[in-house]
Amino acid sequence: MYKVRKGNLLGLIAGFLFCFLFGYGIIVYPQRSYDGAYEAVINCGRVLIPSLFPFMVLSQFAVYSGVGDRLSRLLKAPVRVLFKLPECCAICIILSFIGGYPVGARMIRTMYARGDITREQAERMSYFCVGAGPAFVMGMVGNILFCNQMVGVVIFVSQLVASFILGIALSLRSKYTPSVSTKVKKTESFADSIVYAVSDASQGMTIMCFLVILFGSVLALLDGEWLGYIEGALHMDLDKVKMAISVILEVTNGCISCSKLGGSAILASFAVGFGGLCVHFQIFASLSDLELNKVKFVLCRFVSGILSAFFTYILFKFLPNDMQVAVVFGNETKFTSASNLLAGVSLILMVVIFLVSLGGKNNGQRRI
């Protein structure tokens, strides 16, 4: 008799429910699904691609060119003492804290495939080498949503401190193990490093953008009449329900909801630290070979979000009173420029064309 394991059964049920409910929503509310995907494409072109893609290219270039290994030697002692990791991980930790959510995962994937780190080290790094880039936090969250760059600076610093503390805590029960690679690392030429870096970054950016578009459509369908039943049955504020759903599912829409629906910078800081399920799926896809403990990963992100919100609250106590208003009140923000949509579509098409053009050249060669 064929037996289905409990975990597989739950996954099958969840998959069936998603297919049924998402399909029902697309058929019954096609305009709502279209509007959500439309706004997500605008956000990709306006925020995600400009802020993340350059850092993703930079991080991969540092690995392939060997620059990262040389810079990492300068931080050998702190990385070994604080995180119980080999020196080659230093550049990954730094860039993951400042480069954007998928950057750390892509670098971990590359280093693990090259044999630079063990599976335990790669998995442990994946739990804390996750963070939003300064362009997103300071530019969008600070300047655009809360109309004050200092708000973005406070949230960004809070996120860094939270990730730093989480990384140290995760290493307390670990033992230092030097790099497991016994072969001489092959570094690419400058030109090849650029091409390989853009190729890897384009793959990651493509997956990320289309996941954001998918979640944008899902969020638009969730924002329906059924939320009114929750408000009546549980006596909860409808705006708070919408914010909670947005924060849990997707960080960009979560931060926008915190601003549009009267949320606080503290809640936005939690959203940035947590990352949202959309970001989590991107990291799972990048690190599929590791078979991460997904429950532990989500719990670590939740802890990171709580720590980030806590430090944001503390740091705001040291700011002038007029700036503390952002802790409580947001600003309604909309992205509705047709040029932004055109830019987003153009950039995504360029990425896809680039990947297709590299398909034949890289076949059988450097693929990780």
Side-chain angles (χ1 to χ4, degrees):
M1 182 177 178
Y2 179 73
K3 294 182 179 180
V4 180
R5 290 189 302 176
K6 185 177 180 180
N8 292 340
L9 179 60
L10 292 176
L12 184 63
I13 294 174
F16 175 79
L17 289 175
F18 176 78
C19 289
F20 175 77
L21 295 176
F22 190 43
Y24 175 83
I26 293 174
I27 295 173
V28 177
Y29 303 105
Q31 186 60 44
R32 186 175 295 166
S33 175
Y34 171 86
D35 291 340
Y38 180 95
E39 186 171 356
V41 171
I42 292 175
N43 288 336
C44 286
R46 181 184 178 94
V47 180
L48 296 182
I49 296 177
S51 64
L52 290 181
F53 186 73
F55 273 104
M56 293 177 71
V57 173
L58 174 64
S59 64
Q60 294 301 315
F61 177 81
V63 173
Y64 287 119
S65 65
V67 172
D69 292 332
R70 290 169 175 80
L71 293 177
S72 293
R73 293 171 188 169
L74 301 176
L75 299 173
K76 176 180 179 179
V79 170
R80 177 175 180 173
V81 173
L82 296 176
F83 303 111
K84 309 291 179 57
L85 293 170
E87 64 180 50
C88 62
C89 298
I91 191 66
C92 175
I93 295 173
I94 294 173
L95 290 178
S96 68
F97 285 175
I98 65 174
Y101 293 111
V103 169
R106 303 293 292 186
M107 293 191 72
I108 293 169
R109 170 177 174 267
T110 302
M111 290 192 300
Y112 178 65
R114 288 177 16 145
D116 296 339
I117 54 178
T118 65
R119 186 188 183 284
E120 185 277 332
Q121 291 168 341
E123 183 174 3
R124 178 154 51 91
M125 289 176 65
S126 69
Y127 295 140
F128 74 93
C129 290
V130 182
F136 173 77
V137 181
M138 298 180 192
M140 178 179 175
V141 179
N143 279 339
I144 298 177
L145 297 184
F146 290 96
C147 300
N148 194 318
Q149 189 176 33
M150 185 55 64
V151 174
V153 171
V154 169
I155 293 177
F156 183 70
V157 172
S158 300
Q159 175 196 236
L160 289 181
V161 176
S163 297
F164 195 82
I165 292 175
L166 182 61
I168 294 176
L170 289 170
S171 68
L172 292 179
R173 300 180 62 181
S174 301
K175 294 183 179 180
Y176 171 75
T177 303
S179 179
V180 296
S181 179
T182 58
K183 58 184 179 181
V184 178
K185 297 179 183 178
K186 179 180 180 297
T187 58
E188 308 291 347
S189 67
F190 181 86
D192 287 342
S193 296
I194 287 289
V195 173
Y196 293 153
V198 173
S199 174
D200 284 353
S202 298
Q203 293 180 31
M205 200 77 251
T206 302
I207 295 173
M208 181 177 184
C209 285
F210 284 107
L211 275 172
V212 169
I213 294 170
L214 172 63
F215 272 76
S217 179
V218 171
L219 278 170
L221 292 173
L222 289 175
D223 187 14
E225 294 81 1
W226 66 276
L227 287 176
Y229 296 107
I230 296 180
E231 183 180 26
L234 302 180
H235 304 287
M236 297 176 63
D237 187 287
L238 186 59
D239 287 344
K240 292 181 180 179
V241 174
K242 292 178 180 178
M243 278 192 293
I245 293 175
S246 297
V247 167
I248 291 172
L249 291 183
E250 204 276 309
V251 61
T252 305
N253 284 298
C255 290
I256 292 174
S257 295
C258 288
S259 177
K260 289 171 61 177
L261 304 178
S264 68
I266 293 177
L267 182 58
S269 183
F270 171 83
V272 170
F274 179 66
L277 294 182
C278 182
V279 167
H280 299 177
F281 287 171
Q282 297 165 31
I283 294 174
F284 295 158
S286 296
L287 300 175
S288 57
D289 292 341
L290 289 179
E291 298 181 354
L292 292 178
N293 184 329
K294 296 180 176 59
V295 174
K296 184 176 180 180
F297 178 88
V298 174
L299 286 176
C300 286
R301 300 321 312 152
F302 182 80
V303 171
S304 179
I306 293 293
L307 289 174
S308 181
F310 172 75
F311 288 120
T312 296
Y313 174 79
I314 296 299
L315 289 175
F316 264 110
K317 293 296 184 181
F318 296 94
L319 296 178
N321 292 332
D322 58 337
M323 292 187 61
Q324 295 185 27
V325 176
V327 177
V328 180
F329 301 103
N331 302 279
E332 185 171 352
T333 306
K334 295 182 180 180
F335 304 120
T336 56
S337 171
S339 61
N340 290 330
L341 174 63
L342 180 60
V345 173
S346 299
L347 285 169
I348 292 174
L349 287 176
M350 288 174 63
V351 167
V352 173
I353 292 172
F354 181 83
L355 290 174
V356 172
S357 67
L358 285 177
K361 177 180 178 180
N362 291 329
N363 188 28
Q365 300 179 13
R366 178 217 58 93
R367 292 316 318 156
I368 295 175

